Amino acid sequence: MAVLSSGFTPSTRDVDALCGLLGDDDEKVVRAVEHAIARAGAGEGPVWVARLLSRADASSPAVRARLFRAVGRLAPKDAASAGALASALRDPDGRVQKAAANALGRLRESEASAQIAAALLDAWDRSPALPLARALAEAMGKLGLVQARGRLEAVPAGDAELSRIAGNAVAMLRRDGSRGDRSEIDAGRSGDFDVDLVLLCRAGLEDLVREELTLRCPSVRSVGGRDAAQVTATWRGAPQDLFAVRTMLGFAFALPSEPAPDDAATASACVRALSSEAARRIVETWTLGTVRYRIDWQGKGHSRAMTWQVVHALEERCPGWVNDPTSSTWQASVSVAEGRLRVLLVPRGLVDPRFVYRVRDVPAASHPTLAAALVRASRISDADVVWDPFVGSGTELVERARAGAYRTLIGSDLDLDAIGVARGNAAAAGVAGVIFQIADATLHAPCGVTRIVTNPPMGRRVARDGSLVDLIDRFTDNAARVLSRGGRLTWLSPLGGRTAARAEACGLRVALRKPVDMGGFFAELQAWDKP
Ligand SMILES: C[S@@+](CC[C@H](N)C(=O)[O-])C[C@H]1O[C@@H](n2cnc3c(N)ncnc32)[C@H](O)[C@@H]1O
């Protein structure tokens, strides 16, 4: 039977045959037909909806219910379809009523929202049987029918499933109803209490982040952490001051952790963490307006049941907080490692001012936190004459300018377009006086260079013709020649072991070698001194 093949997409000529199959006794066939209709309707939704609805009256109740289920999956926006579905709420058959309610719950942006709302409320007020009541409650929640809130709150406690659905629907209504309210992070406000901070970074940069955090954020009390790609600290202050740390990707606040051996324990431990004194202080200090939060179960997908469990428990413990997966000011990132629950509160929607100068990019431009890390590892001095021989979009040079005084900045590249991009970014950053040159990094020899800071090609575009090894070898030799005595080459080497041997053979002395995550592959952050 063609319809059982997942590749089968019917045409409108097949409507009659498909409607016939909707009456099949085999549930597998019925599901396959519904999927096939959904596939066909993805391209020609309105035509399919009209054809299916035109068959409703003449069909048996069982087929009618399935027809409405199929129509619901196509989520028609037009008033005529909504009208047909609304009328079906009065169908004599309960299965049809339920299918119609479910279908209506999917019509969030229908032209006929007022008509849909009226039909659902009317059906609710007619004291529906339990299956329809559950479907109506769910539909009213999904559609955000604020008029339904009182009815849903008044659901009697008799049926646990209806109470659960109505509870979720009320939470959705609160969420939708407060979307226009103010909710933002007040990053400039200083907290007068210690917070456990987590700075996230590219793996391999932890030491540089730790160092920069200590230097630039004097309100940090203790810095620690041995995990990859993050640094922990105890800190107090204003969140926006943390953007002084240019080597981090972002930051979050860690909540008290506790054992969580299974899902039930995870949900209740998560509730305790989110309603803890520490969490409330953080959230209430730095939120302007309504606290809106989303829960991100790391490694556990959507985990809807656990989310609802936490949401309902927090309604009582933290009244006024609104759960909103799509528009929130805080994200609770929940993970379990070695049987312990860890919750990080991540402020959302903050304006990160650090790298806004990057008005244009080149392919394979450096991640700016990596550029900032290269600059830190170069151990700057105000007498620096800095050369970036693979300047690309100029990120390293701008980061060098941001780090402190220098004598000269020189950026060269083989590509004229890249020079234009770098010039534009330097101008946007307000960094004047950079010397830009078109030149080959393996041959160019600017005078008096005390620091070479660069992110060369990593081989993704040039390795295929085998030229990367030659380019990197010849550049290492040239860097050793061009550097002044006492100078330092700081770069990301795509061929760590090879360039180390080469640099040593050229008389350079190793100061740092560290594998760093480049975003899916590793390169080696190397610093070499010329004695
Ligand atoms: C990884 S990108 C540079 C990334 C740069 N740091 C940025 O943030 O945009 C490498 C750059 O090296 C340049 N390049 C490749 N071979 C070169 C060579 N032999 N001499 C100079 N530049 C070269 C490319 O044109 C490219 O702009």
Side-chain angles (χ1 to χ4, degrees):
M1 200 185 290
V3 77
L4 290 175
S5 145
S6 59
F8 172 68
T9 302
S11 82
T12 44
R13 279 193 312 276
D14 303 316
V15 172
D16 285 333
L18 290 171
C19 288
L21 286 173
L22 279 178
D24 202 283
D25 289 336
D26 186 348
E27 191 60 22
K28 208 167 109 206
V29 172
V30 172
R31 294 277 168 211
V33 172
E34 288 180 1
H35 280 119
I37 292 174
R39 276 197 300 280
E44 299 174 282
V47 181
W48 274 87
V49 168
R51 293 283 177 92
L52 295 172
L53 288 175
S54 70
R55 273 149 184 85
D57 286 345
S59 302
S60 69
V63 172
R64 248 191 347 267
R66 288 164 184 171
L67 276 173
F68 286 125
R69 205 156 68 185
V71 168
R73 291 175 73 137
L74 300 178
K77 303 263 183 291
D78 63 294
S81 313
L85 288 168
S87 308
L89 288 174
R90 287 182 171 273
D91 192 283
D93 189 89
R95 289 166 297 179
V96 176
Q97 297 166 3
K98 188 176 156 214
N102 285 335
L104 286 166
R106 291 168 176 248
L107 308 191
R108 210 174 149 87
E109 270 141 33
S110 166
E111 291 165 9
S113 50
Q115 188 187 359
I116 293 170
L120 290 171
L121 292 170
D122 175 59
W124 182 270
D125 292 340
R126 277 183 272 125
S127 305
L130 210 44
L132 180 58
R134 291 175 186 158
L136 289 170
E138 188 160 346
M140 294 193 291
K142 281 188 186 163
L143 294 175
L145 286 197
V146 277
Q147 314 90 300
R149 185 162 166 179
R151 293 168 171 87
L152 292 166
E153 281 171 342
V155 160
D159 180 61
E161 181 61 359
L162 179 58
S163 300
R164 183 188 70 76
I165 295 171
N168 294 357
V170 170
M172 286 193 263
L173 294 181
R174 282 182 62 221
R175 175 191 79 193
D176 288 0
S178 61
R179 280 245 166 94
D181 297 353
R182 183 178 200 193
S183 179
E184 51 195 90
I185 302 288
D186 187 3
R189 181 165 177 199
S190 255
D192 56 1
F193 50 92
D194 286 353
V195 179
D196 289 331
L197 190 66
V198 176
L199 299 195
L200 306 165
C201 64
R202 288 285 178 92
L205 299 189
E206 300 84 357
D207 290 344
L208 291 166
V209 172
R210 218 171 270 133
E211 183 188 280
E212 195 183 14
L213 175 67
T214 315
L215 188 84
R216 296 198 191 268
C217 297
S219 57
V220 161
R221 284 159 204 262
S222 65
V223 182
R226 274 170 285 110
D227 288 336
Q230 52 183 267
V231 168
T232 57
T234 310
W235 160 93
R236 67 169 59 196
Q240 75 182 16
D241 296 345
L242 292 168
F243 287 125
V245 183
R246 303 183 75 82
T247 48
M248 70 166 181
L249 291 169
F251 60 85
F253 304 118
L255 300 181
S257 107
E258 58 174 283
D262 52 39
D263 278 2
T266 299
S268 43
C270 180
V271 171
R272 280 193 293 281
L274 286 170
S275 57
S276 64
E277 182 61 30
R280 285 163 195 253
R281 244 190 338 211
I282 290 166
V283 162
E284 278 153 25
T285 301
W286 288 306
T287 312
L288 285 172
T290 307
V291 174
R292 304 182 81 80
Y293 70 97
R294 73 188 299 272
I295 303 177
D296 181 32
W297 302 98
Q298 309 239 315
K300 281 186 185 282
H302 288 306
S303 300
R304 288 207 174 83
M306 275 210 296
T307 300
W308 280 120
Q309 212 178 319
V310 175
V311 168
H312 290 313
L314 286 180
E315 274 163 11
E316 283 166 26
R317 295 180 184 220
C318 305
W321 289 19
V322 176
N323 174 252
D324 191 340
T326 55
S327 166
S328 52
T329 32
W330 294 93
Q331 170 166 303
S333 291
V334 186
S335 56
V336 178
E338 289 161 13
R340 283 193 81 78
L341 174 93
R342 190 166 184 241
V343 183
L344 293 182
L345 275 179
V346 188
R348 303 183 84 219
L350 280 184
V351 178
D352 180 346
R354 295 176 300 168
F355 309 118
V356 289
Y357 61 80
R358 295 187 314 150
V359 289
R360 285 181 62 201
D361 247 348
V362 297
S366 304
H367 192 278
T369 66
L370 283 173
L374 282 170
V375 167
R376 284 215 69 73
S378 77
R379 298 284 174 252
I380 68 164
S381 135
D382 55 11
D384 281 349
V385 174
V386 185
W387 176 35
D388 183 347
F390 301 97
V391 73
S393 61
T395 325
E396 279 75 12
L397 290 183
V398 174
E399 286 305 308
R400 175 59 190 83
R402 291 282 189 264
Y406 52 86
R407 192 175 294 161
T408 311
L409 298 179
I410 305 162
S412 57
D413 200 290
L414 270 184
D415 182 356
L416 178 62
D417 290 344
I419 296 286
V421 170
R423 244 187 240 288
N425 288 341
V431 177
V434 182
I435 300 166
F436 285 110
Q437 295 166 330
I438 306 219
D440 186 332
T442 64
L443 301 170
H444 194 42
C447 286
V449 171
T450 65
R451 296 286 183 275
I452 297 174
V453 180
T454 198
N455 172 17
M458 289 285 148
R460 290 167 147 202
R461 285 181 297 154
V462 290
R464 266 174 264 134
D465 63 6
S467 60
L468 179 73
V469 174
D470 182 54
L471 170 69
I472 294 298
D473 280 355
R474 292 196 297 124
F475 168 67
T476 312
D477 297 349
N478 193 37
R481 267 194 308 270
V482 170
L483 267 184
S484 306
R485 293 207 174 279
R488 176 173 278 201
L489 159 67
T490 314
W491 71 323
L492 288 156
S493 170
L495 306 165
R498 185 179 179 97
T499 55
R502 192 95 181 183
E504 270 163 17
C506 292
L508 298 180
R509 222 177 264 153
V510 67
L512 175 70
R513 287 184 62 185
K514 179 99 190 166
V516 169
D517 179 4
M518 300 291 293
F521 66 100
F522 276 74
E524 200 168 278
L525 173 54
Q526 298 185 340
W528 296 93
D529 291 331
K530 181 160 170 177

